[in-house]
Amino acid sequence: MSSCCGPTPSSLDPSSLDQTQAVEDRYGAAAAEQEACLCTPVAFDPSLLKPIPQDVVDRDYGCGDPTRWVRSGDAVLDLGSGSGKNAFICAQVVGATGQVIGVDRNADMLALSRSAAPVVAERIGYANVGFLEGAIEALDATNAQGEPLVADSSIDVVLSNCVLNLVNPSARQQLLQNIRRVLRPAGRVAISDIVCDRSVPMALQQDAELWSGCISGAWLEEAFLEDFRALGFEQVQYAERSETPWRVVEGIEFRAVTLTGALPNG
């Protein structure tokens, strides 16, 4: 395992880790300077990358390509939109009649994606992307007018690229319920993330580097499927699953998957 992604004695702390702060610190730095150890490189359609500024592409950290399940005309919600690369790819796929909303809580990543939005719009010929500041588990947080960050039943497809595992464990159910809330009937999910074959022990969960590196917050592979089935999604499956583990830490296998599923129509 690469030393930049492994546990270090100084990062192990017997007290409870503030996962949110660990993620904020690491991704804030990664917005300014590319970090090779965040998640795993994935090939994207070069034609869809062409209109996107290179610094946005370089500072994207994912483990799959959930944009492949987006359709023309979709309203897309990208959870943990980061540099904006996935959102800008979706902008081209959905076309001028579609809409893309990115949500991220990291100020540095939001500055990067927002500054790139008018550049991409000019290059593709229309503007259909917006980036909101907020926690992906709190899409129901209200503004001064009492409106939620993302409205009920307003989205056709929710996607995410190696971000759900970064959410504090205590907020996972809130995250899942918000995904369900914002989707329209027949709404879909395409979630690329890291799963593991055995439960991650507390010592690893409390390692800031492993947590922010998309490792120790991983869902159990079967539990990830079951959690989406419990929300009412049908045809829940791993449309993609790496046979070879991405990382092995203390005998636990971590691999990249893309989970897909759809709600009933009505």
Side-chain angles (χ1 to χ4, degrees), residues 74-91 94 99-106 109-111 113-114 117 128-136 139 149-150 155 157-161 163:
D74 274 343
V76 178
L77 176 62
D78 181 12
L79 299 180
S81 49
S83 71
K85 186 183 87 171
N86 289 264
F88 293 134
I89 290 172
C90 290
V94 303
Q99 177 192 20
V100 183
I101 300 170
V103 175
D104 206 286
R105 70 185 305 157
N106 188 282
M109 285 294 190
L110 282 169
S113 61
R114 286 170 170 170
N128 64 352
V129 183
F131 296 96
L132 304 177
E133 181 177 2
I136 65 171
L139 302 174
L149 185 67
V150 180
I155 300 296
V157 57
V158 172
L159 62 83
S160 183
N161 200 345
V163 176

Side-chain angles (χ1 to χ4, degrees), residues 30-191:
E33 184 174 348
Q34 184 179 24
E35 183 183 340
C37 284
L38 277 174
C39 297
T40 178
V42 176
F44 286 79
D45 182 342
S47 68
L48 295 174
L49 296 179
K50 191 173 181 180
I52 304 174
Q54 192 59 45
D55 57 347
V56 168
V57 175
D58 289 343
R59 288 162 179 78
D60 174 70
Y61 306 104
C63 57
D65 181 8
T67 68
R68 289 173 50 202
W69 284 269
V70 172
R71 305 169 186 163
S72 177
D74 274 343
V76 178
L77 176 62
D78 181 12
L79 299 180
S81 49
S83 71
K85 186 183 87 171
N86 289 264
F88 293 134
I89 290 172
C90 290
Q92 300 168 72
V93 176
V94 303
T97 63
Q99 177 192 20
V100 183
I101 300 170
V103 175
D104 206 286
R105 70 185 305 157
N106 188 282
D108 297 303
M109 285 294 190
L110 282 169
L112 178 58
S113 61
R114 286 170 170 170
S115 67
V119 177
V120 174
E122 182 177 0
R123 291 175 180 176
I124 67 176
Y126 51 86
N128 64 352
V129 183
F131 296 96
L132 304 177
E133 181 177 2
I136 65 171
E137 65 270 26
L139 302 174
D140 53 349
T142 54
N143 59 20
Q145 290 73 43
E147 301 165 338
L149 185 67
V150 180
D152 295 4
S153 304
S154 60
I155 300 296
D156 294 307
V157 57
V158 172
L159 62 83
S160 183
N161 200 345
C162 212
V163 176
L164 266 59
N165 68 79
L166 300 175
V167 172
N168 288 12
S170 62
R172 279 188 175 177
Q173 283 305 310
Q174 182 186 7
L175 167 66
L176 292 168
Q177 291 299 325
N178 264 302
I179 290 173
R180 176 67 178 82
R181 178 186 62 80
V182 301
L183 282 168
R184 295 168 176 156
R188 293 126 46 218
V189 289
I191 309 291

Side-chain angles (χ1 to χ4, degrees), residues 236-251:
V236 177
Q237 62 176 332
Y238 288 135
E240 293 182 338
R241 178 186 180 275
S242 61
E243 287 302 316
T244 303
W246 169 55
R247 297 277 186 268
V248 179
V249 182
E250 295 189 6

